[in-house]
Amino acid sequence: MVELKTNTSIDAMHTAGQVTGAALTAVRKAADVGVSLLELDEVARDVLRAAGATSPFLGYRPSFAPTPFPAVICASVNDAIVHGIPTTYRLRDGDLVSIDCGAVLDGWASDSAISFTVGRARPADVRLIETAERALAAGIAAAVVGNRIGDIAHAIGTVCRGGGYGIPDGFGGHGVGRQMHEDPPVPNEGRPRRGLPLRHGMVLAIEPMLVAGGGDGYHAAPDGWTLRTDDGSRAAHVEHTVAITDGGPRVLTARA
């Protein structure tokens, strides 16, 4: 069931989204060669704590997970696509890092992700991240009243495939509200004019995931959480929480 949010609820979700955006900005600023993923998690915890927010990630345990998630960020490096658990791993020159973070404030959730490089960037990584961001922008532009879920999926998929990149099968965005994951699912590839009609008050997490090698295959790491590319190529993941409104898409996790 898809819950349509009131304008007041969307405003409250925007407040939660600004906390998530602030956490991601702080993590990006702190990320440097030699900094550990656990240290980045602590940076995000500090931002959430200062805002009086909690993490929808910490302790989260979906059906596939062997253990509850132990952190407030997902930190996925190089060939890790999503769901990376922060560890003592220290960032190295040239690493490609994807950070996913969320916040719950006054009962409303938000969810967002960024990808970036540390130190000297490989040109191929820059192109990968830029394409992911263009795919996200295309998905957001399609998130308008009168379109359908398939229009968002088609917009994302067209950019990703046009760049020669793979799209992890079965993973994509989702509704957001009182819970981090709600209906409807938002695929990263699909046919236009298909699926659920978009209505004022729907709030979606739109999140392209791109595989540099062009294949769609992935596998779970031994920790049961981290998803890695089958071909060992690098991956990028970007995401915003977006409200569908009569005035157009409203990005609730926009970063200053």
Side-chain angles (χ1 to χ4, degrees), residues 34-51:
V35 176
S36 77
L37 301 182
L38 279 174
E39 289 170 338
L40 296 182
D41 185 68
E42 192 57 40
V43 169
R45 287 177 190 251
D46 288 343
V47 173
L48 297 182
R49 190 180 302 117

Side-chain angles (χ1 to χ4, degrees), residues 39-125:
E39 289 170 338
L40 296 182
D41 185 68
E42 192 57 40
V43 169
R45 287 177 190 251
D46 288 343
V47 173
L48 297 182
R49 190 180 302 117
T54 59
S55 169
F57 291 17
L58 185 63
Y60 180 60
R61 189 178 184 182
S63 58
F64 69 80
T67 57
F69 197 76
V72 305
I73 63 169
C74 296
S76 306
V77 180
N78 296 334
D79 67 328
I81 307 167
V82 287
H83 302 166
I85 294 176
T87 65
T88 57
Y89 175 85
R90 294 191 177 276
L91 295 173
R92 300 171 183 171
D93 187 47
D95 276 347
L96 192 164
V97 184
S98 297
I99 302 291
D100 195 353
C101 186
V104 177
L105 187 66
D106 296 328
W108 293 104
S110 60
D111 190 8
S112 187
I114 57 175
S115 287
F116 55 88
T117 56
V118 174
R120 292 167 293 182
R122 302 180 182 184
D125 290 344

Side-chain angles (χ1 to χ4, degrees), residues 196-216:
L196 193 70
L198 302 180
R199 298 172 59 190
H200 179 91
M202 293 174 66
V203 180
L204 309 174
I206 300 174
E207 51 179 319
M209 305 168 194
L210 282 67
V211 177
D216 299 349

Side-chain angles (χ1 to χ4, degrees), residues 124-168:
D125 290 344
V126 172
R127 178 174 174 270
L128 175 66
I129 294 169
E130 288 177 345
T131 305
E133 291 172 346
R134 285 196 295 108
L136 176 58
I140 293 171
V144 296
V145 173
N147 273 357
R148 293 175 176 266
I149 291 290
D151 293 304
I152 298 175
H154 179 70
I156 293 170
T158 297
V159 174
C160 296
R161 296 299 188 190
Y165 298 117
I167 301 171

